[in-house]
Amino acid sequence: MNQTRNLAYPQVVQILNAGGIIVFPTETLYGLGCDATNPSALLKIYKIKNRPLGKSFPLLVKNGKMLADYALMTDTQKKMILKAKKPTTFVLKAKNLSPLVMVKRSAAFRIAKHPWVKKLFQYFDKPIVATSANLAGSKPLSDPRAYKEVFGINSALIDAVIFAGINKKTKGSKIINLTKSKPVVIRP
């Protein structure tokens, strides 16, 4: 498909359900996304990013209920997650996910706050990979219309690009590891 236009949400859901890959806006950077429960889609993301296997991806979830379906957390941790104001990704012990998105049975989760993603979750009921749209180790993609230049031959694996303007942000979300006895800030 390789479209750089805003598709209707049901079309995006069809792409995700078929194991497709999208570039989409998030509250921080443009994300490279897929159905986080689909191993073949996850392998495409590794290939597109030129990322070594074994390094996990952040996952967007709709809300605390969806988070509880895929993460193990205490009531205290859940309260901390739900009251986070700034975009914050939390590393938690994970369940019901492919090993391709976990490291040591843990995964990184963020409750979606971007309006486009929140609307998508009205139609799609599974976590979405939201790794930055770039090659591993490179700066983030600010204009998703340039995805073919950035990803080269592997750009053919991207099924749709959702353009929501130029993104001037250069930093991803804050990351806090909640798998230790005390929260550990990985990225401020």
Side-chain angles (χ1 to χ4, degrees):
M1 191 178 293
N2 270 331
Q3 298 181 29
T4 308
R5 62 186 179 85
N6 289 342
L7 300 173
Y9 289 98
Q11 291 173 290
V12 175
V13 169
Q14 281 182 326
I15 290 167
L16 294 173
N17 282 332
I21 308 300
I22 61 172
V23 174
F24 66 104
T26 75
E27 54 273 23
T28 55
L29 308 169
Y30 270 98
L32 193 57
C34 70
D35 172 353
T37 67
N38 183 323
S40 64
L42 296 167
L43 288 170
K44 287 183 202 174
I45 298 245
Y46 275 104
K47 184 172 184 165
I48 292 166
K49 284 187 68 81
N50 195 24
R51 187 176 191 150
L53 286 173
K55 193 167 180 194
S56 66
F57 301 116
L59 308 178
L60 290 177
V61 293
K62 178 179 184 174
N63 53 28
K65 182 183 180 318
M66 183 184 281
L67 179 62
D69 290 340
Y70 295 96
L72 301 169
M73 63 195 143
T74 66
D75 287 341
T76 303
Q77 290 170 329
K78 187 172 184 178
K79 285 177 190 165
M80 179 183 196
I81 293 164
L82 293 176
K83 71 177 199 186
K85 298 288 183 230
K86 291 163 64 175
T88 306
T89 301
F90 295 93
V91 178
L92 296 159
K93 290 295 179 188
K95 60 182 181 177
N96 304 323
L97 288 170
S98 165
L100 292 169
V101 293
M102 295 189 289
V103 173
K104 297 180 184 173
R105 296 189 188 140
S106 297
F109 298 92
R110 185 168 79 237
I111 295 176
K113 297 203 186 319
H114 189 281
W116 188 87
V117 180
K118 287 172 74 168
K119 179 89 172 177
L120 178 61
F121 274 128
Q122 291 177 15
Y123 301 90
F124 191 72
D125 204 25
K126 293 181 262 185
I128 300 170
V129 166
T131 185
S132 56
N134 61 350
L135 292 173
S138 298
K139 68 180 190 165
L141 182 67
S142 60
D143 184 346
R145 297 172 297 187
Y147 77 100
K148 288 182 181 178
E149 293 83 46
V150 171
F151 297 113
I153 193 164
N154 289 333
S155 67
L157 296 171
I158 297 170
D159 297 288
V161 177
I162 308 304
F163 180 71
I166 304 296
N167 187 344
K168 299 205 186 314
K169 296 176 184 170
T170 57
K171 189 176 141 194
S173 71
K174 180 177 188 175
I175 302 174
I176 300 175
N177 185 343
L178 296 181
T179 65
K180 310 292 183 199
S181 57
K182 289 184 177 179
V184 176
V185 176
I186 297 172
R187 181 169 64 201

